[in-house]
Amino acid sequence: MKNSETRKIAFISGRLGSIFVTGVVRGVEEELREKHGDLYRLSHFNAGIETGGREACKTAAEVVENSGADALIVLSFDPGKKAVKAAQEKKMPVVAIEREVQGIHTVNIDNYRAGIEAARYLIKCGSRRIGIITDIQSVVAGAASAERLAGFRYELKKNGMNIKKEDTATADYHTVECGIKTFDMIKGIDKIDALFSVAGDAVAAGFVIEAKSNGVRVPEDIRVMGFDDMEIASAVEPALTTIRQPINMMGRAAVEIIHGCLNGKNKRPKKIRLKTGLVVRESA
């Protein structure tokens, strides 16, 4: 294929309604526009379900076989052996963002370490009974939120603490609306002194909004900590303490891997691990 031809990049995600997905896509589109002009065209595909699994793998395999794409980006799920094998046979580069997958390129953060950092901060603040908001990917081995939660639990256990079942809630999606719903799910709401949203800032913001409407003060009664450092983290009142991950850069890095592959570079799977950082604001 000549460099002057427009090449198609397929992008698959199953986390509909997520601000995180929007941020990654923005990074992909900005990198394409700023550095590569009309060389690439981005096509979006829906994986169908939030947790990945069979339906998402089926979608990935179909996209590889039938979409006419020159490269594939999958977000937050393992595309499966069938899709990976078919892509290898077609010499189609595949990049997984926010998921470690053997045999393909990956762009990720150390979610386990980030979970540890979140727990350390809340413990340092004096928290002794910490609630948690998970998402439905938290039970999927290898998923980002599962790794994040594992690191958080590890650090709590090291300090003689654990997460009680009554202090947990699960958000169906990464939205403010789902965060609002989690407030009533936490049965030990009057006992916890801190809360960490594995499910991200939008969910944490929703929890804060509902807590305030129920007379629960943040951070005086409950410290609240998010994850991602989205725009909403600084827009909600009080502004969220959170763990920042370079969401925009994830999308940009995936594009550069693909560009290298389609120009004869990156012949072996490239693993990019981006840095996170603690952002302290008023909520904790």
Side-chain angles (χ1 to χ4, degrees):
M1 182 177 289
K2 298 178 181 179
N3 287 341
S4 60
E5 295 179 353
T6 299
R7 297 175 175 182
K8 180 179 178 180
I9 299 175
F11 183 97
I12 308 177
S13 170
R15 293 164 61 179
L16 299 178
S18 169
I19 302 176
F20 173 80
V21 174
T22 302
V24 173
V25 171
R26 185 182 299 126
V28 170
E29 292 176 338
E30 288 176 353
E31 188 73 8
L32 291 176
R33 182 176 62 253
E34 293 171 10
K35 293 188 178 180
H36 304 294
D38 297 327
L39 184 58
Y40 297 102
R41 177 168 58 89
L42 189 66
S43 296
H44 299 259
F45 296 87
N46 177 20
I49 52 176
E50 179 78 7
T51 55
R54 292 182 181 179
E55 191 172 345
C57 290
K58 181 180 178 182
T59 299
E62 289 175 349
V63 168
V64 171
E65 293 286 0
N66 304 317
S67 70
D70 299 291
L72 172 64
I73 299 173
V74 296
L75 180 60
S76 304
F77 73 95
D78 184 337
K81 294 180 180 179
K82 183 178 179 180
V84 171
K85 183 179 179 181
Q88 290 172 341
E89 291 173 351
K90 288 175 172 283
K91 300 188 184 305
M92 176 193 294
V94 180
V95 182
I97 299 177
E98 206 196 31
R99 192 66 178 265
E100 294 298 325
V101 182
Q102 294 298 318
I104 64 175
H105 307 282
T106 59
V107 178
N108 209 345
I109 63 168
D110 189 338
N111 278 286
Y112 188 86
R113 175 59 57 183
I116 289 175
E117 185 175 15
R120 281 180 180 170
Y121 177 75
L122 290 175
I123 293 169
K124 182 180 177 181
C125 288
S127 304
R128 290 297 175 264
R129 181 163 171 172
I130 304 174
I132 196 94
I133 301 177
T134 64
D135 61 17
I136 59 178
Q137 286 192 324
S138 297
V139 296
V140 179
S145 56
E147 292 293 307
R148 211 172 289 162
L149 179 59
F152 193 81
R153 287 185 183 278
Y154 168 82
E155 189 64 20
L156 290 188
K157 186 176 181 180
K158 198 170 81 169
N159 286 272
M161 303 164 64
N162 56 38
I163 301 170
K164 300 181 183 298
K165 186 176 181 180
E166 64 189 85
D167 299 340
T168 65
T170 299
D172 291 334
Y173 297 98
H174 299 167
T175 64
V176 172
E177 291 74 18
C178 285
I180 289 172
K181 293 177 182 178
T182 62
F183 181 84
D184 288 331
M185 297 179 190
I186 299 177
K187 304 306 180 185
I189 195 69
D190 58 338
K191 299 175 183 176
I192 63 173
D193 54 21
L195 179 119
F196 175 48
S197 173
V198 168
D201 290 332
V203 172
F207 178 90
V208 168
I209 291 168
E210 188 66 9
K212 289 167 60 180
S213 70
N214 281 272
V216 176
R217 300 172 301 166
V218 178
E220 292 85 355
D221 298 325
I222 299 177
R223 302 178 184 95
V224 178
M225 188 171 188
F227 199 97
D228 289 331
D229 196 27
M230 298 287 193
E231 292 177 3
I232 196 169
S234 55
V236 70
E237 187 178 342
L240 288 174
T241 290
T242 188
I243 299 291
R244 174 184 293 152
Q245 63 170 330
I247 297 168
N248 184 278
M249 187 56 65
M250 287 178 167
R252 287 178 175 269
V255 170
E256 285 312 293
I257 289 175
I258 287 172
H259 181 68
C261 290
L262 294 177
N263 286 277
K265 301 177 182 178
N266 304 330
K267 296 186 181 297
R268 299 173 66 87
K270 192 169 185 178
K271 308 293 182 183
I272 294 179
R273 185 67 65 89
L274 301 174
K275 293 182 179 180
T276 60
L278 174 66
V279 180
V280 178
R281 297 193 180 97
E282 291 79 25
S283 71

